[in-house]
Amino acid sequence: MWPKAAAVVAFRKLAELSRGAVELVLPPTCAGCGAQTDPTAVLCRVCDSRLERIAPGACQLCQQTSPQPDSRLCASCELSDSALTACFAAFRFEGGAADWIHRFKYPKKGLRGLDPAPASVVEAMLNEAGYRASGPPPGLVVPVPLHPRRLRLRGFNPAAELARSLAREFGIPFDPVALCRTRNTTSQTGLDRHERRRNVRDAFRARRGRQIPEQVWLVDDVVTTASTLTEAAIALRAAGARTVIGLCAARALSNVPSVGR
Ligand SMILES: [Zn+2]
Ligand SMILES: [Zn+2]
């Protein structure tokens, strides 16, 4: 290892050790306001109350209507034949949740990586979605990939950072490169549901030689119509997955049922 790299590793180790020491001495504090908080919580009750939770009993695919009697899905999602088995979020993408996610995805200039406070909050938001996913634990956690060109511009893939943390929380294997983007699609922002589906159609495939288990958790930071997640789920199914459960830190909900296909 060349000296500069060795110095960086040593510095990181030291930072980790000193952070551990600080945690031993100082009581845990809220990532939002700095108030003293429960050691198991990232946010205090006041800051947590600024995040709007999705009803845990909502349809397990669109997350915005009530399921049919004796079903986990609403009438519209039952007919949709989605490649996604389910898609869970614990929070609505608005207000406090949207602010945290924005801070996580766009760290202040000068920070040479993720901003630790928003990263810990958004990771906790995604973990909460993971705890809502019922059924046996999956064999793999996979993030929605960025196109290599977009990854170079951004410096990191927010979905991959979150998926890594989720995999650690649940003790599940993580593969950041199980899927790849075959096209550099334009942003989904501002497109309607049909345009979004067309924009990401056939945009993903499983990387050659990757073993995809039967059950997979597929992670993105924010889900709106689930078009991107659905296309990624189609690629995972083509590579052998039978159950693909989408998980995201927050879900943008409208009044229109959102999951197609
Ligand atoms: Zn607080
Ligand atoms: Zn539904």
Side-chain angles (χ1 to χ4, degrees):
M1 189 183 292
W2 54 292
K4 194 176 168 195
V8 168
V9 170
F11 177 76
R12 281 203 186 131
K13 285 232 164 84
L14 198 63
E16 268 168 32
L17 283 173
S18 57
R19 195 160 47 235
V22 167
E23 276 165 9
L24 279 176
V25 177
L26 298 173
T29 53
C30 168
C33 67
Q36 205 169 312
T37 185
D38 180 322
T40 60
V42 177
L43 294 175
C44 71
R45 282 200 190 157
V46 176
C47 292
D48 185 84
S49 71
R50 299 196 181 111
L51 312 180
E52 199 179 326
R53 278 181 175 76
I54 293 170
C59 166
Q60 291 187 3
L61 207 46
C62 68
Q63 296 270 269
Q64 60 187 352
T65 40
S66 297
Q68 293 273 85
D70 301 322
S71 172
R72 56 181 191 84
L73 303 181
C74 70
S76 161
C77 289
E78 269 187 354
L79 293 173
S80 73
D81 193 25
S82 174
L84 286 167
T85 309
C87 183
F88 292 97
F91 298 92
R92 293 182 78 116
F93 182 62
E94 54 188 43
D99 291 343
W100 281 114
I101 288 174
H102 191 269
R103 282 180 59 188
F104 165 69
K105 289 179 76 171
Y106 306 99
K108 280 195 203 102
K109 283 205 168 61
L111 277 178
R112 298 192 51 161
L114 296 174
D115 193 340
S120 63
V121 174
V122 179
E123 284 167 9
M125 288 165 64
L126 177 67
N127 290 345
E128 207 169 312
Y131 284 110
R132 289 186 178 199
S134 50
L140 193 65
V141 178
V142 172
V144 170
L146 287 181
H147 190 273
R149 207 172 308 153
R150 184 93 57 95
L151 184 60
R152 266 199 304 279
L153 281 174
R154 279 200 73 105
F156 72 103
N157 176 1
E161 297 301 325
L162 292 175
R164 187 195 317 277
S165 152
L166 182 82
R168 205 184 310 124
E169 171 82 6
F170 286 85
I172 299 165
F174 163 66
D175 187 349
V177 292
L179 281 176
C180 54
R181 270 203 197 237
T182 52
R183 291 189 289 117
N184 193 7
T185 54
T186 54
S187 165
Q188 298 278 73
T189 309
L191 303 182
D192 69 26
R193 182 164 26 133
H194 298 289
E195 290 165 336
R196 280 169 180 257
R197 278 179 53 183
R198 207 173 315 126
N199 188 36
V200 293
R201 186 152 289 162
D202 300 324
F204 302 96
R205 68 169 168 75
R207 212 170 281 266
R208 257 177 224 105
R210 280 294 195 277
Q211 190 74 37
I212 304 294
E214 281 196 7
Q215 304 205 18
V216 180
W217 278 1
L218 175 62
V219 173
D220 208 351
D221 42 40
V222 177
V223 171
T224 303
T225 62
S227 307
T228 304
L229 223 54
T230 302
E231 277 304 312
I234 289 169
L236 287 168
R237 281 178 177 265
R242 294 177 65 177
T243 304
V244 182
I245 294 182
L247 294 170
C248 60
R251 183 83 186 251
L253 297 176
S254 65
N255 294 320
V256 184
S258 55
V259 176
R261 179 130 60 141

